[in-house]
Structures are given as C-alpha cells and as structure tokens.
Amino acid sequence: MFDKIKEEYLSLMEKEKLPYTKCKTCGYVFFYPRDFCPKCNSRDLEVKISEGKGKVFSFTKFQGKKGETIYGIVELIEGFRMYANIFGDVDIGDEVVVSFINDSGRKIPVFKKK
Ligand SMILES: [Zn+2]
C-alpha cells in the first residue's frame, strides 16, 4: 500500500501534478505519503490532485552560494500543509502557486509568488 501511494505520487509529479492524500474515514488531508491516516490510523486512503494554490504559512531564508533561498511551509487550499522551496520575495500569508523543477532527474514541487 505504501509503495503504491509513493509510486502514484511520483508518477503524478512527473506529469507536474501535485498529489495529496485524503483519508476516506475521517476526511483528514495530508501531503507526506504514508499508508495510514496520521489522525485516525485508517488505511482507507485515496490519492488526489491538488489545484496547487496556497498561502505561505511560515518560511526561513537561507543565504547560499547561489543567493538567497527560501524554504517554508505552504498551506494549500485543500487544507494540507507541505514543506517546499519558495521563489520570490514572499511574506506570510502571500498567495503562491505550485511549479515543478528538475532535481537530479526527478520533478519536485516548488512554489512561486502569484
Ligand atoms: Zn483518518
């Protein structure tokens, strides 16, 4: 089950779609792929596709070799939160949209200011 969810996540992200998981028992939504609901432990889960729109919940700025990098938590309109790199000069509460970048041959979600 866990591998199936992980595979589904990877194939959706390859198509530049942002997956998330919804618990069919209690309705809880979460991003990090796992085979049970972190709230009620149910294994009756379904993978869904997010619209990719959200707001900056919190962030930290890092000064790296390639300039400033922002890493933060984005709260998606579907109600789940996820960690990601954020591009642009953002503040808490700013609206962001998902975008995908290539990272070691794999597509990973990042967010950009709307
Ligand atoms: Zn649940």
Side-chain angles (χ1 to χ4, degrees):
M1 182 68 184
F2 180 63
D3 286 343
K4 202 183 135 245
I5 286 177
K6 250 184 139 175
E7 252 173 53
E8 214 171 331
Y9 264 53
L10 289 174
S11 82
L12 283 169
M13 291 204 277
E14 227 23 69
K15 295 175 204 151
E16 306 205 340
K17 293 191 189 308
L18 182 67
Y20 68 101
T21 307
K22 182 172 185 177
C23 171
K24 287 177 164 179
T25 305
C26 75
Y28 188 66
V29 288
F30 51 98
F31 174 72
Y32 190 78
R34 52 183 106 202
D35 64 354
F36 63 92
C37 172
K39 214 163 191 184
C40 74
N41 289 322
S42 167
R43 288 177 185 268
D44 196 8
L45 307 171
E46 65 175 326
V47 174
K48 302 186 76 146
I49 297 166
S50 165
E51 278 187 48
K53 295 176 193 162
K55 282 182 179 174
V56 178
F57 181 74
S58 70
F59 66 90
T60 315
K61 287 182 179 177
F62 295 96
Q63 209 56 245
K65 281 178 190 164
K66 292 175 189 165
E68 196 176 73
T69 306
I70 300 173
Y71 193 66
I73 300 174
V74 173
E75 187 170 75
L76 280 296
I77 56 170
E78 288 86 3
F80 65 94
R81 290 174 187 168
M82 62 182 284
Y83 284 95
N85 279 305
I86 304 169
F87 292 92
D89 193 20
V90 292
D91 216 334
I92 289 172
D94 279 354
E95 291 188 357
V96 287
V97 285
V98 78
S99 175
F100 288 82
I101 59 165
N102 280 307
D103 183 68
S104 324
R106 206 185 252 187
K107 284 186 180 159
I108 60 160
V110 298
F111 286 87
K112 288 179 180 167
K113 200 170 173 174
K114 236 178 142 180

